[in-house]
Amino acid sequence: MSGSTIVTGVLAAAIVTWLLRVALITLLPADRLPDGIRRSLPLVGPAAMAALVVTTFTAQAAAGTPAPRQVVALVAAALAARLGANLGVVVLVALTVGGLASLLGG
Amino acid sequence: MSVAVADRRPSIARPAIREALRDLWPIAVAVAPFGLFVGVTLDELGIPRTTGYLSSLLIFSGSAQLAVLTLLDTGAGLATIVAIVAVVGARLVVYGGALAPHFRAQPTWFRWVGPHLLVDQTFGIATARSDLEDPGRFRTYWLTAGAGLGTVWLTVIVIGSFVGPVLDRFGMLELTAPALYVGMLVPRLTDRAAVCAALVAAAFAFGLQGLPGGAGLPVAIVVALALGTLTDRRRPEVDR
């Protein structure tokens, strides 16, 4: 790889990601979108987070993290979040429960 | 946060900077392993360190950055890189649409520059708060969270690029990313449409994970939005 190739590739990627980000904020503001699409926007959060949970879960399982340990840790995290815990506490609960499950051979 | 923030009433007295930093720390912990991995990858691919660090700030998306670096390593052309990055980052378009109301009354410079800080984590913490309606408050919160995340991101990448050869395992930190997203998901499951959207997105993300370039993720989100909106429409008026 030459230096210029790397720089060109990185700059192209930077421009593409920036265009994706400003697309519905600055270029075509979402309030000008059709009503049906605007109604769906509040659902972006739950949909995206659920998809990311599954994606990161399966990626970790593929990388060798035992699935049962992940499930136990994530259920504990969900319970903590349901009880209104701070996001940092939620992560700490998951790490603690995951660690305990690992010690117990999960 | 963050998570509990969704129900918190607006507070003018509490500075947005302090709240952004408080929301940021669990995210910083969660992105650290991924940042280390990106740093290790930079080292393994032989990318010049300065270029690698700059790419982290310019692209500001770990998944897109990893895609670009590995594609460059395989000798892929510019068109391929652009196409793959567009697919990998497609969810950013949808995030932008959801955050657009917060940018509507902002100064022009912020409407062009601010979205650069849009990633999964900043989207997650900003949309979990109900006290960012004031444009100035949102701007301060967004810039603080984004700049803070960028600082953490660059720092762990630098560390990863130096200690990569001796890094073996990240121990329990591998659970942080899914746990973080669970923590952001649960408070959002407030009605039937949201639960439906989440279930559909999870199912499609699982079923489509084999698609190249991580294309399954944005497809899953779009399908979930369509079905979730349909559920919302079918709900009787009295139920709303």
Side-chain angles (χ1 to χ4, degrees), chain B residues 140-167:
Chain B
T140 304
Y141 180 90
W142 184 256
L143 291 175
T144 304
L149 184 63
T151 304
V152 171
W153 180 242
L154 183 60
T155 302
V156 291
I157 286 176
V158 169
I159 292 171
S161 69
F162 278 97
V163 303
V166 296
L167 279 178

Side-chain angles (χ1 to χ4, degrees), chain A residues 38-106:
Chain A
R38 273 192 287 122
R39 280 168 52 95
S40 72
L41 292 178
L43 301 178
V44 172
M49 296 306 144
L52 286 167
V53 168
V54 170
T55 304
T56 51
F57 178 92
T58 52
Q60 293 300 342
T65 305
R69 190 177 84 191
Q70 279 204 85
V71 170
V72 170
L74 296 185
V75 167
L79 285 174
R82 187 78 183 89
L83 293 172
N86 176 286
L87 188 56
V89 174
V90 170
V91 173
L92 287 177
V93 166
L95 297 183
T96 304
V97 172
L100 289 173
S102 183
L103 284 174
L104 296 172

Side-chain angles (χ1 to χ4, degrees), chain B residues 192-206:
Chain B
R192 192 188 310 169
V195 172
C196 173
L199 289 174
V200 171
F204 274 81
F206 183 77

